[in-house]
Amino acid sequence: MEKSLLLLTKLDTRKILVNARSIQTVESNPDTVIILSGGRKLLVKESLEEIWKLIQEG
């Protein structure tokens, strides 16, 4: 079962919760950019691989 909320860190060190089901894509170039289904983009400190592991651990 996949987690519905992911605890992530924005580049300014603020913690945010992101609904995993609203993630459309995750890019690493070199910063990690999460693109949500509504088109909003989030830059986070976690790597693409770390986000993948968080989703899989659920």
Side-chain angles (χ1 to χ4, degrees):
M1 182 174 163
E2 96 180 23
K3 285 186 179 182
S4 60
L5 291 176
L6 305 176
L7 178 62
L8 301 173
T9 310
K10 293 180 81 169
L11 295 182
D12 65 3
T13 70
R14 288 184 292 163
K15 298 287 186 181
I16 58 172
L17 290 171
V18 176
N19 184 341
R21 295 177 187 192
S22 68
I23 295 175
Q24 186 173 14
T25 60
V26 179
E27 301 174 358
S28 184
N29 187 24
D31 294 326
T32 305
V33 179
I34 297 173
I35 301 172
L36 302 176
S37 55
R40 183 174 178 197
K41 293 183 180 183
L42 302 171
L43 280 101
V44 296
K45 288 188 172 189
E46 290 77 13
S47 69
L48 185 146
E49 292 81 8
E50 289 173 311
I51 294 169
W52 176 248
K53 284 180 187 176
L54 287 172
I55 292 170
Q56 295 303 309
E57 287 174 358

